[in-house]
Amino acid sequence: MGKIYYILGKSSTGKDTIYKKILEDKELNLKDIILYTTRPIRDGEINGKSYHFVDENEYLRIKETGAIIEERSYDTMHGVWRYFTVKDEQINLDSNDYIIIGVLKSYEDTRDYFGSDKVIPIYIEVEDGVRLQRALDREKKPENRRFKEMCRRYLADSEDFADEKIINAGINKRFENEDLATCISEVKEFIRKNR
């Protein structure tokens, strides 16, 4: 029976980089799960690879079928944007193991849907000062410059990933990303032991 390894943690902890490196590992041979979203496609994104881009009507149609595993909505200045995971043909736990990245609530909903024996959390953390500096360095790049959003996310993370919530979610193993190569190695070893 396959498993879903769920990478989660606060912003600027290196989750995306770790996710990509784990996904590239041919020995682990993990499949990714492409999320769905109602937000508009951005330059450089590919439908079916970055996300499955759908409109609100398609979201409602999928919801009506009962195939949504987890979902979250964000009220943006452009309207409500939804992100959600769908139990579709891309997920087959009889023959594959998967890796996905998300937030605490999406992990909990996915775990509740498939069972805690099939959804394994990989919680990445970094000391808050280091995390803030990483976020600031990223936003200083000319193509980013979203300082207000950076601050909002940083503050929201303190609440969303409070220690009490991590403990209540049953997450008792944490991976400290002080050194990226070491952290990736520890995560790979953890996945091997949990197969």
Side-chain angles (χ1 to χ4, degrees):
M1 207 50 152
K3 294 185 178 177
I4 298 172
Y5 296 93
Y6 212 106
I7 294 183
L8 64 156
K10 296 176 181 176
S11 59
S12 300
T13 56
K15 297 183 307 291
D16 291 320
T17 302
I18 292 167
Y19 168 82
K20 288 173 189 166
K21 293 294 184 186
I22 300 294
L23 193 57
E24 290 170 359
D25 189 308
K26 300 296 183 203
E27 179 193 334
L28 292 176
N29 193 33
L30 300 175
K31 309 293 182 204
D32 61 343
I33 298 172
I34 310 297
L35 300 181
Y36 288 67
T37 186
T38 60
R39 78 155 167 76
I41 193 167
R42 296 176 181 152
D43 287 343
E45 291 182 325
I46 300 168
N47 190 21
K49 186 151 176 74
S50 306
Y51 288 96
H52 295 287
F53 293 94
V54 298
D55 62 18
E56 186 71 11
N57 288 334
E58 180 64 6
Y59 157 76
L60 292 170
R61 188 199 65 74
I62 294 169
K63 187 173 181 78
E64 197 172 278
T65 70
I68 293 181
I69 296 167
E70 63 81 25
E71 65 178 302
R72 53 215 176 276
S73 300
Y74 301 97
D75 192 6
T76 74
M77 58 190 267
H78 306 288
V80 175
W81 288 352
R82 303 181 193 283
Y83 295 83
F84 52 104
T85 307
V86 174
K87 179 69 169 90
D88 58 12
E89 69 281 347
Q90 69 179 321
I91 302 174
N92 182 352
L93 289 175
D94 290 332
S95 58
N96 296 308
D97 287 323
Y98 297 88
I99 190 163
I100 192 169
I101 189 168
V103 298
L104 185 59
K105 179 73 170 107
S106 62
Y107 157 72
E108 291 176 309
D109 290 347
T110 303
R111 177 204 60 203
D112 293 348
Y113 186 92
F114 288 106
S116 59
D117 59 325
K118 293 181 185 65
V119 182
I120 311 300
I122 299 174
Y123 185 75
I124 309 297
E125 64 183 5
V126 171
E127 190 273 321
D128 280 343
V130 172
R131 199 168 64 78
L132 182 58
Q133 187 62 57
R134 286 181 183 178
L136 186 58
D137 291 344
R138 183 175 57 218
E139 293 309 315
K140 284 181 179 177
K141 295 177 182 174
E143 66 271 21
N144 293 335
R145 316 295 293 178
R146 297 178 305 247
F147 297 108
K148 187 175 179 181
E149 174 61 13
M150 178 200 79
C151 292
R152 185 204 63 77
R153 286 180 66 193
Y154 186 85
L155 294 172
D157 281 348
S158 295
E159 183 178 326
D160 294 345
F161 290 98
D163 277 338
E164 180 181 296
K165 289 183 179 180
I166 300 299
I167 292 165
N168 288 343
I171 298 171
N172 52 27
K173 173 87 173 135
R174 300 179 188 210
F175 296 88
E176 184 71 34
N177 185 12
E178 290 180 9
D179 176 77
L180 182 61
T182 301
C183 186
I184 290 169
S185 178
E186 289 172 352
V187 170
K188 286 181 179 182
E189 186 57 29
F190 176 78
I191 291 171
R192 285 186 196 99
K193 287 181 177 176
N194 278 279
R195 287 190 126 167

